[in-house]
């Protein structure tokens, strides 16, 4: 199957890379400092634990510098930002930069309000962000393109839905990554993970992920764990995290039975996050390099 | 069965109204801005998604005006109010009023503290609230009656438990609605939904709803979605939301098996919220107009 | 089986005490005011409900005095402390002290940041705390010992893992309790519950409790309910709460089936908390007095 100059990447180096990152996170239990919204924070903490890492939440400006100092990565999620947590993000980010910790930025709702767009932009400009994880509307808003973010969900017009969208999305992602000097994971029906040089399309995942809150936030949180172990290969570390979440979504959907709805899906998703090991991800990965 | 001048309303216009509202919410996906407590906020977001709408949480005063502007309804829940979120509620409420969005007020704990009673009263007085959703103790506190709120739970002396209580509760609800110029949903073992002219008693629901946190908050949140589509018929839109939650409670209880407790009930409740469609609600509705 | 001068306490007075406390909490529904972190707060509220008590969350300094006044116990958990919630904890604590309510302190992350260590110490020094509930690293930090807290998890070097650790841990706990003039519950693979005179080792629990967020926070919250009914016997009230959580962990683990992971464990844990009665706890208790 070929479409738009894309070929399915079945090369073993990608599946081996995914397996290695997943097993390394479980082996080393990185500490992940999350400054994240209060909506999905418990799920984020449980997701970080599920993939084998350890979460710490702290947003008070007078607390975050000490907390970041004992951690291995920092996740900044602006989902319910306020003046105190923005100050906390900036203070934690500055300390993480000094310590050369991986910083993940989730620009929740960028494009939906001036404060969110401005704050996400300031964080990206002032900190050495290693990865931006958002939906296409949010990343476009960060890129300064006319944004049409619909609340915290992607505008359907922006979503990467089909083969036809992939090449354009991958080009946008590579360009964004080059300008922002970071990797980027744009998630949706088809996920795009890219740095300035390479882009991957990931077809793992379940439509149920869009029917619960926190799928994106949980991914950003676990990406913090993977980025803590990136060791210079941010795009493949992010790719492994995206595959971990997508494969978990598929495993969760496969367990759905009569009477089950979004509540059970959420439970099954966490179950799968906690059970999937590197070997499982290598087998489940539906990753194509977009050239 | 007749009691206290009440007759079961089996008239098809009520079941058809419930069905129409439920299907319309799923068809149109209203965006619901929730300023709600941090205890049950993830469940509220998931409940809004489950009934087919889309939630956005934002309480920072500098953010809420933009967020409310892109939404279709506003839910104000004072469960863990603080000075910042009160300011956010007032700013969001003023903008929602300008845009003629439906505003739902959940006066959690009114009567339990001076700040809660005062804040709920100020919001009700200063904003064109479309619906108040609370337990009887909270609504009595809002009405200025001697309140005996027991924390965030209803005082047993206030709960609508029996046929004998219904007529009195319905009269109180109609009177409250007339004075406050809004609809009101007073939930408990038997729910009362009223405006100045009509009152309904709803016998859907499960006793397990009182054994988990968030049953009331989730109802207020999904009522935001229904009120966004009320189109001038607030009392029937609220009635449909109350039936949706109550029918979900019954469906959840029906799935309880050996070993299941309140954790499984919560999951099953969310499952049922996500699975019930208009037809299901029309069949499940236990609604009586109280004349 | 004897080790380190410890003998299993099978004396019926302990199992009867546990049963009596558990049944009394369910019979009297104490109101528990929790000022707790926003990560695990929904689980804490549900846990308090599950054991038969009623939770109220409020952290706004202008609200907490009224709320504490209508409650029976106060739980202070510094997991996501900030300047506002610290002020709320101090105001609520002062009022709880006036009313002679039981105060439980959970020093989450003491030793991990200067603010946490200082705040936990100030609360312990200024308030008549009835019980400290933490992991060994946190309690050591509170005791002024060289702390090596790893984020919010115990440093493995500090955990009570084996028979050999118990005597030393019990001696530390009794000494801490004597100096701080309170009871203490130090939880981990083996839990130690002590006051100045007596110490108990509890072998209930499941390793899965360490793989979800909130096991410790939920225990602190339900301990508030038990301490509200301590009636002068803080150490046995705390012991009953620790056994309730540990027995629930074991019951949850026993339900784990193919495909289940940490998501299902969380649900099963809440189920078991809600189903276990005094008789069940008396049978399940694995408690040894350490002399």
């Amino acid at each position: 199957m070929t479409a738009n100059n894309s070929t399915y990447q079945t090369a073993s180096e990608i599946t081996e890379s995914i397996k290695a990152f997943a097993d390394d996170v479980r082996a080393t239990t990185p500490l992940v400092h999350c400054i994240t919204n209060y909506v999905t924070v418990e799920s984020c903490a449980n997701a970080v634990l599920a993939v084998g890492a350890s979460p710490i939440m702290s947003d008070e400006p007078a607390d975050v510098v000490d907390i970041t100092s004992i951690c291995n990565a920092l996740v900044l999620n602006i989902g319910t930002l306020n003046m105190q947590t923005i100050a906390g993000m900036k203070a934690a980010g500055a300390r993480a930069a000094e310590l050369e910790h991986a910083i993940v930025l989730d620009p929740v709702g960028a494009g939906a309000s001036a404060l969110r767009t401005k704050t996400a932009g300031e964080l990206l400009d002032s900190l050495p962000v290693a990865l931006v994880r958002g939906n296409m509307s949010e990343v476009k808003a960060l890129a300064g393109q006319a944004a049409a973010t619909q609340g915290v969900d992607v505008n359907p017009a922006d979503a990467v839905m089909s083969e036809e969208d992939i090449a354009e999305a991958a080009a946008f992602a590579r360009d964004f990554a080059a300008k922002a000097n970071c990797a980027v994971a744009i998630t949706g029906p088809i996920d795009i993970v890219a740095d300035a040089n390479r882009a991957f399309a990931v077809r793992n995942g379940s439509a149920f992920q869009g029917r619960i809150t926190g799928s994106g936030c949980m991914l950003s949180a676990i990406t913090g764990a993977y980025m803590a172990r990136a060791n210079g290969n941010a795009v493949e570390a992010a790719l492994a995290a995206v595959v971990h979440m997508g494969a978990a979504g598929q495993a969760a959907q496969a367990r759905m039975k009569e009477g089950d709805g979004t509540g059970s899906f959420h439970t099954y998703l966490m179950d799968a996050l906690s059970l999937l090991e590197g070997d499982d991800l290598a087998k489940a990965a539906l990753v194509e390099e977009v050239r």
Side-chain angles (χ1 to χ4, degrees), chain A:
Chain A
M1 177 182 184
T2 59
N4 297 316
N5 303 320
S6 303
T7 53
Y8 270 98
Q9 170 71 318
T10 54
S12 60
E13 66 263 28
I14 291 301
T15 57
E16 281 171 19
S17 164
I18 291 167
K19 171 177 157 45
F21 277 115
D23 290 340
D24 184 53
V25 167
R26 290 204 187 275
T28 59
T29 314
L31 294 182
V32 183
H33 179 191
C34 301
I35 304 182
T36 190
N37 68 75
Y38 59 82
V39 183
T40 62
V41 60
E42 183 165 17
S43 291
C44 287
N46 276 320
V48 169
L49 283 161
V51 302
S54 183
I56 308 179
M57 277 63 180
S58 167
D59 59 35
E60 162 60 45
D63 195 52
V64 295
V65 171
D66 282 0
I67 296 296
T68 274
S69 299
I70 59 169
C71 286
N72 306 109
L74 175 65
V75 176
L76 304 176
N77 172 311
I78 66 168
T80 51
L81 82 181
N82 63 42
M83 292 311 165
Q84 177 227 317
T85 56
I86 293 171
M89 288 183 194
K90 291 181 178 175
R95 180 63 176 150
E98 282 175 11
L99 297 169
E100 300 187 1
H101 292 175
I103 301 173
V104 174
L105 173 63
D106 185 337
V108 181
S113 78
L115 181 66
R116 288 165 191 254
T117 308
K118 173 172 168 284
T119 300
E122 286 176 358
L123 292 170
L124 185 61
D125 291 345
S126 64
L127 298 173
V129 170
L131 178 80
V132 170
R133 204 299 309 166
N135 67 42
M136 183 60 91
S137 299
E138 292 161 347
V139 179
K140 281 190 175 173
L142 256 189
Q145 296 193 9
T149 308
Q150 288 193 329
V152 294
D153 294 320
V154 70
N155 186 323
D158 289 333
V160 180
M161 303 291 287
S162 67
E163 300 302 320
E164 286 67 35
D165 298 331
I166 289 178
E168 185 186 350
F172 166 76
R174 277 189 300 252
D175 186 55
F176 176 85
K179 286 179 180 155
N181 194 27
C182 66
V184 62
I186 302 170
T187 53
I190 297 171
D191 309 314
I192 303 292
V193 184
D195 64 11
N197 302 310
R198 290 189 296 167
F200 299 90
V202 182
R203 286 177 177 78
N204 294 100
S206 159
F208 274 100
Q209 288 170 259
R211 298 187 56 200
I212 61 169
T213 193
S215 292
C217 301
M218 284 189 269
L219 174 54
S220 295
I222 69 171
T223 304
Y226 277 81
M227 295 299 290
R229 306 298 303 170
N231 197 22
N233 194 345
V235 71
E236 291 190 15
L239 182 64
V242 169
V243 169
H244 197 151
M245 178 59 70
Q250 289 171 277
Q253 185 176 327
R255 288 178 72 191
M256 298 284 283
K257 59 183 191 300
E258 179 77 21
D260 285 349
T262 56
S264 291
F265 178 79
H266 190 282
T267 301
Y268 299 156
L269 182 67
M270 198 65 75
D271 282 349
L273 282 174
S274 74
L275 292 172
L276 291 170
E277 308 266 351
D279 270 338
D280 306 306
L281 300 185
K283 282 175 203 151
L286 297 172
V287 177
E288 160 192 29
E289 185 157 1
V290 187
R291 298 177 194 278

